[in-house]
Amino acid sequence: MEDRAYYHIPAETLGAEAKIPLAKMGDSDEVFRAMADMMADCIKENNAGGKRTVFICPVGPVGQYAFFVRRVNEEGISLKDVWFFNMDEYLEDDGTYISQDSPLSFRGFMTREVYGKITPALLMPESQRVFPDPADPAKGDRLLEELGGADIVFGGIGITGHLAFNEPQPGLTNEAFAALPSRVLDILPETRTTNAVGDLAGALGVHA
């Protein structure tokens, strides 16, 4: 049997040999507050320096957004020169976006829980709220390059190890996989099942 010792690393030694810095926090609430503070602090610093701010943001995790919205509104943080690039969105069978009214819609979540709760005078224009375009998936890649890249990228890791539905492709080398552009793809059964449980009370049959 393949060694699974890495599933049982004691908390005190977690990250001891990590190749990237690892912060250990007490609970998810602490993590979400830290993410929100990173976002708000980065925007304030860039605003003070006359610089734009570019984030690549997930809709999962989402706990950070309530804390972020609160800081923006309470501190009057202008988002006029801020760009949000969301990583992904579900599509219908014909390749078009699902309705924002769907409980699965990432665009719907951002509209209701983020943009819709920020003081309008502080909010960035709609053109700076970017989702992948199924008709031109690489459009966001080009825009991101024109803006000089992102200040911060946040992401959650899925059950297959995916980031932003970027499902593993064992037939590719790490380099080839990393070089893949934004694209339309089918999600794996494991991901479909996990998301159906989390978002649709287990209704796998109606999963997008």
Side-chain angles (χ1 to χ4, degrees), residues 105-116:
S105 174
F106 299 153
R107 293 173 302 123
F109 173 86
M110 292 297 291
T111 297
R112 290 189 304 273
E113 302 301 326
V114 183
Y115 306 131

mmCIF file with all atom_site columns, all heavy atoms in Angstrom, residues 105-116:
data_model
loop_
_atom_site.group_PDB
_atom_site.id
_atom_site.type_symbol
_atom_site.label_atom_id
_atom_site.label_alt_id
_atom_site.label_comp_id
_atom_site.label_asym_id
_atom_site.label_entity_id
_atom_site.label_seq_id
_atom_site.pdbx_PDB_ins_code
_atom_site.Cartn_x
_atom_site.Cartn_y
_atom_site.Cartn_z
_atom_site.occupancy
_atom_site.B_iso_or_equiv
_atom_site.pdbx_formal_charge
_atom_site.auth_seq_id
_atom_site.auth_comp_id
_atom_site.auth_asym_id
_atom_site.auth_atom_id
_atom_site.pdbx_PDB_model_num
ATOM 1   N N   . SER A 1 105 ? -24.371 29.501 -9.270  1.00 0.00 ? 105 SER A N   1
ATOM 2   C CA  . SER A 1 105 ? -23.734 30.584 -10.023 1.00 0.00 ? 105 SER A CA  1
ATOM 3   C C   . SER A 1 105 ? -22.763 31.390 -9.181  1.00 0.00 ? 105 SER A C   1
ATOM 4   O O   . SER A 1 105 ? -23.130 32.001 -8.180  1.00 0.00 ? 105 SER A O   1
ATOM 5   C CB  . SER A 1 105 ? -24.788 31.530 -10.598 1.00 0.00 ? 105 SER A CB  1
ATOM 6   O OG  . SER A 1 105 ? -24.166 32.651 -11.212 1.00 0.00 ? 105 SER A OG  1
ATOM 7   N N   . PHE A 1 106 ? -21.520 31.412 -9.611  1.00 0.00 ? 106 PHE A N   1
ATOM 8   C CA  . PHE A 1 106 ? -20.506 32.218 -8.940  1.00 0.00 ? 106 PHE A CA  1
ATOM 9   C C   . PHE A 1 106 ? -20.744 33.705 -9.212  1.00 0.00 ? 106 PHE A C   1
ATOM 10  O O   . PHE A 1 106 ? -20.508 34.550 -8.346  1.00 0.00 ? 106 PHE A O   1
ATOM 11  C CB  . PHE A 1 106 ? -19.104 31.821 -9.406  1.00 0.00 ? 106 PHE A CB  1
ATOM 12  C CG  . PHE A 1 106 ? -18.752 30.388 -9.105  1.00 0.00 ? 106 PHE A CG  1
ATOM 13  C CD1 . PHE A 1 106 ? -17.834 29.708 -9.891  1.00 0.00 ? 106 PHE A CD1 1
ATOM 14  C CD2 . PHE A 1 106 ? -19.338 29.711 -8.050  1.00 0.00 ? 106 PHE A CD2 1
ATOM 15  C CE1 . PHE A 1 106 ? -17.499 28.394 -9.613  1.00 0.00 ? 106 PHE A CE1 1
ATOM 16  C CE2 . PHE A 1 106 ? -19.009 28.401 -7.768  1.00 0.00 ? 106 PHE A CE2 1
ATOM 17  C CZ  . PHE A 1 106 ? -18.085 27.737 -8.557  1.00 0.00 ? 106 PHE A CZ  1
ATOM 18  N N   . ARG A 1 107 ? -21.200 34.026 -10.423 1.00 0.00 ? 107 ARG A N   1
ATOM 19  C CA  . ARG A 1 107 ? -21.515 35.421 -10.729 1.00 0.00 ? 107 ARG A CA  1
ATOM 20  C C   . ARG A 1 107 ? -22.644 35.906 -9.832  1.00 0.00 ? 107 ARG A C   1
ATOM 21  O O   . ARG A 1 107 ? -22.624 37.039 -9.336  1.00 0.00 ? 107 ARG A O   1
ATOM 22  C CB  . ARG A 1 107 ? -21.898 35.566 -12.203 1.00 0.00 ? 107 ARG A CB  1
ATOM 23  C CG  . ARG A 1 107 ? -20.747 35.296 -13.178 1.00 0.00 ? 107 ARG A CG  1
ATOM 24  C CD  . ARG A 1 107 ? -21.208 35.279 -14.637 1.00 0.00 ? 107 ARG A CD  1
ATOM 25  N NE  . ARG A 1 107 ? -22.237 34.281 -14.823 1.00 0.00 ? 107 ARG A NE  1
ATOM 26  C CZ  . ARG A 1 107 ? -23.457 34.513 -15.310 1.00 0.00 ? 107 ARG A CZ  1
ATOM 27  N NH1 . ARG A 1 107 ? -23.793 35.736 -15.691 1.00 0.00 ? 107 ARG A NH1 1
ATOM 28  N NH2 . ARG A 1 107 ? -24.326 33.537 -15.458 1.00 0.00 ? 107 ARG A NH2 1
ATOM 29  N N   . GLY A 1 108 ? -23.642 35.046 -9.633  1.00 0.00 ? 108 GLY A N   1
ATOM 30  C CA  . GLY A 1 108 ? -24.754 35.416 -8.762  1.00 0.00 ? 108 GLY A CA  1
ATOM 31  C C   . GLY A 1 108 ? -24.297 35.655 -7.338  1.00 0.00 ? 108 GLY A C   1
ATOM 32  O O   . GLY A 1 108 ? -24.734 36.611 -6.682  1.00 0.00 ? 108 GLY A O   1
ATOM 33  N N   . PHE A 1 109 ? -23.406 34.788 -6.844  1.00 0.00 ? 109 PHE A N   1
ATOM 34  C CA  . PHE A 1 109 ? -22.906 34.976 -5.481  1.00 0.00 ? 109 PHE A CA  1
ATOM 35  C C   . PHE A 1 109 ? -22.172 36.300 -5.351  1.00 0.00 ? 109 PHE A C   1
ATOM 36  O O   . PHE A 1 109 ? -22.414 37.061 -4.393  1.00 0.00 ? 109 PHE A O   1
ATOM 37  C CB  . PHE A 1 109 ? -21.957 33.839 -5.099  1.00 0.00 ? 109 PHE A CB  1
ATOM 38  C CG  . PHE A 1 109 ? -21.279 34.069 -3.774  1.00 0.00 ? 109 PHE A CG  1
ATOM 39  C CD1 . PHE A 1 109 ? -21.890 33.700 -2.593  1.00 0.00 ? 109 PHE A CD1 1
ATOM 40  C CD2 . PHE A 1 109 ? -20.043 34.720 -3.708  1.00 0.00 ? 109 PHE A CD2 1
ATOM 41  C CE1 . PHE A 1 109 ? -21.290 33.953 -1.359  1.00 0.00 ? 109 PHE A CE1 1
ATOM 42  C CE2 . PHE A 1 109 ? -19.440 34.976 -2.485  1.00 0.00 ? 109 PHE A CE2 1
ATOM 43  C CZ  . PHE A 1 109 ? -20.062 34.590 -1.313  1.00 0.00 ? 109 PHE A CZ  1
ATOM 44  N N   . MET A 1 110 ? -21.279 36.608 -6.274  1.00 0.00 ? 110 MET A N   1
ATOM 45  C CA  . MET A 1 110 ? -20.506 37.846 -6.175  1.00 0.00 ? 110 MET A CA  1
ATOM 46  C C   . MET A 1 110 ? -21.405 39.068 -6.268  1.00 0.00 ? 110 MET A C   1
ATOM 47  O O   . MET A 1 110 ? -21.204 40.063 -5.564  1.00 0.00 ? 110 MET A O   1
ATOM 48  C CB  . MET A 1 110 ? -19.439 37.885 -7.268  1.00 0.00 ? 110 MET A CB  1
ATOM 49  C CG  . MET A 1 110 ? -18.327 36.857 -7.122  1.00 0.00 ? 110 MET A CG  1
ATOM 50  S SD  . MET A 1 110 ? -17.329 37.057 -5.624  1.00 0.00 ? 110 MET A SD  1
ATOM 51  C CE  . MET A 1 110 ? -16.461 38.594 -5.977  1.00 0.00 ? 110 MET A CE  1
ATOM 52  N N   . THR A 1 111 ? -22.441 38.990 -7.114  1.00 0.00 ? 111 THR A N   1
ATOM 53  C CA  . THR A 1 111 ? -23.366 40.111 -7.252  1.00 0.00 ? 111 THR A CA  1
ATOM 54  C C   . THR A 1 111 ? -24.140 40.336 -5.954  1.00 0.00 ? 111 THR A C   1
ATOM 55  O O   . THR A 1 111 ? -24.276 41.476 -5.489  1.00 0.00 ? 111 THR A O   1
ATOM 56  C CB  . THR A 1 111 ? -24.345 39.857 -8.410  1.00 0.00 ? 111 THR A CB  1
ATOM 57  O OG1 . THR A 1 111 ? -23.605 39.776 -9.641  1.00 0.00 ? 111 THR A OG1 1
ATOM 58  C CG2 . THR A 1 111 ? -25.366 40.983 -8.523  1.00 0.00 ? 111 THR A CG2 1
ATOM 59  N N   . ARG A 1 112 ? -24.641 39.261 -5.360  1.00 0.00 ? 112 ARG A N   1
ATOM 60  C CA  . ARG A 1 112 ? -25.464 39.381 -4.152  1.00 0.00 ? 112 ARG A CA  1
ATOM 61  C C   . ARG A 1 112 ? -24.639 39.699 -2.916  1.00 0.00 ? 112 ARG A C   1
ATOM 62  O O   . ARG A 1 112 ? -24.997 40.587 -2.126  1.00 0.00 ? 112 ARG A O   1
ATOM 63  C CB  . ARG A 1 112 ? -26.229 38.069 -3.908  1.00 0.00 ? 112 ARG A CB  1
ATOM 64  C CG  . ARG A 1 112 ? -27.323 37.767 -4.897  1.00 0.00 ? 112 ARG A CG  1
ATOM 65  C CD  . ARG A 1 112 ? -28.129 36.564 -4.422  1.00 0.00 ? 112 ARG A CD  1
ATOM 66  N NE  . ARG A 1 112 ? -27.277 35.384 -4.203  1.00 0.00 ? 112 ARG A NE  1
ATOM 67  C CZ  . ARG A 1 112 ? -26.961 34.503 -5.148  1.00 0.00 ? 112 ARG A CZ  1
ATOM 68  N NH1 . ARG A 1 112 ? -27.398 34.671 -6.388  1.00 0.00 ? 112 ARG A NH1 1
ATOM 69  N NH2 . ARG A 1 112 ? -26.213 33.454 -4.864  1.00 0.00 ? 112 ARG A NH2 1
ATOM 70  N N   . GLU A 1 113 ? -23.552 38.952 -2.702  1.00 0.00 ? 113 GLU A N   1
ATOM 71  C CA  . GLU A 1 113 ? -22.862 38.978 -1.421  1.00 0.00 ? 113 GLU A CA  1
ATOM 72  C C   . GLU A 1 113 ? -21.649 39.909 -1.370  1.00 0.00 ? 113 GLU A C   1
ATOM 73  O O   . GLU A 1 113 ? -21.149 40.200 -0.280  1.00 0.00 ? 113 GLU A O   1
ATOM 74  C CB  . GLU A 1 113 ? -22.421 37.558 -1.047  1.00 0.00 ? 113 GLU A CB  1
ATOM 75  C CG  . GLU A 1 113 ? -23.568 36.561 -0.961  1.00 0.00 ? 113 GLU A CG  1
ATOM 76  C CD  . GLU A 1 113 ? -24.607 36.967 0.071   1.00 0.00 ? 113 GLU A CD  1
ATOM 77  O OE1 . GLU A 1 113 ? -24.214 37.562 1.097   1.00 0.00 ? 113 GLU A OE1 1
ATOM 78  O OE2 . GLU A 1 113 ? -25.803 36.696 -0.148  1.00 0.00 ? 113 GLU A OE2 1
ATOM 79  N N   . VAL A 1 114 ? -21.184 40.353 -2.512  1.00 0.00 ? 114 VAL A N   1
ATOM 80  C CA  . VAL A 1 114 ? -20.021 41.248 -2.519  1.00 0.00 ? 114 VAL A CA  1
ATOM 81  C C   . VAL A 1 114 ? -20.410 42.584 -3.143  1.00 0.00 ? 114 VAL A C   1
ATOM 82  O O   . VAL A 1 114 ? -20.603 43.580 -2.435  1.00 0.00 ? 114 VAL A O   1
ATOM 83  C CB  . VAL A 1 114 ? -18.823 40.618 -3.265  1.00 0.00 ? 114 VAL A CB  1
ATOM 84  C CG1 . VAL A 1 114 ? -17.600 41.552 -3.197  1.00 0.00 ? 114 VAL A CG1 1
ATOM 85  C CG2 . VAL A 1 114 ? -18.483 39.252 -2.667  1.00 0.00 ? 114 VAL A CG2 1
ATOM 86  N N   . TYR A 1 115 ? -20.573 42.629 -4.451  1.00 0.00 ? 115 TYR A N   1
ATOM 87  C CA  . TYR A 1 115 ? -20.833 43.894 -5.122  1.00 0.00 ? 115 TYR A CA  1
ATOM 88  C C   . TYR A 1 115 ? -22.133 44.541 -4.649  1.00 0.00 ? 115 TYR A C   1
ATOM 89  O O   . TYR A 1 115 ? -22.217 45.769 -4.508  1.00 0.00 ? 115 TYR A O   1
ATOM 90  C CB  . TYR A 1 115 ? -20.874 43.687 -6.633  1.00 0.00 ? 115 TYR A CB  1
ATOM 91  C CG  . TYR A 1 115 ? -19.631 43.012 -7.174  1.00 0.00 ? 115 TYR A CG  1
ATOM 92  C CD1 . TYR A 1 115 ? -19.721 41.921 -8.032  1.00 0.00 ? 115 TYR A CD1 1
ATOM 93  C CD2 . TYR A 1 115 ? -18.356 43.446 -6.806  1.00 0.00 ? 115 TYR A CD2 1
ATOM 94  C CE1 . TYR A 1 115 ? -18.587 41.298 -8.522  1.00 0.00 ? 115 TYR A CE1 1
ATOM 95  C CE2 . TYR A 1 115 ? -17.214 42.825 -7.289  1.00 0.00 ? 115 TYR A CE2 1
ATOM 96  C CZ  . TYR A 1 115 ? -17.339 41.747 -8.141  1.00 0.00 ? 115 TYR A CZ  1
ATOM 97  O OH  . TYR A 1 115 ? -16.205 41.123 -8.623  1.00 0.00 ? 115 TYR A OH  1
ATOM 98  N N   . GLY A 1 116 ? -23.141 43.721 -4.369  1.00 0.00 ? 116 GLY A N   1
ATOM 99  C CA  . GLY A 1 116 ? -24.429 44.254 -3.951  1.00 0.00 ? 116 GLY A CA  1
ATOM 100 C C   . GLY A 1 116 ? -24.444 44.774 -2.529  1.00 0.00 ? 116 GLY A C   1
ATOM 101 O O   . GLY A 1 116 ? -25.412 45.432 -2.124  1.00 0.00 ? 116 GLY A O   1
#
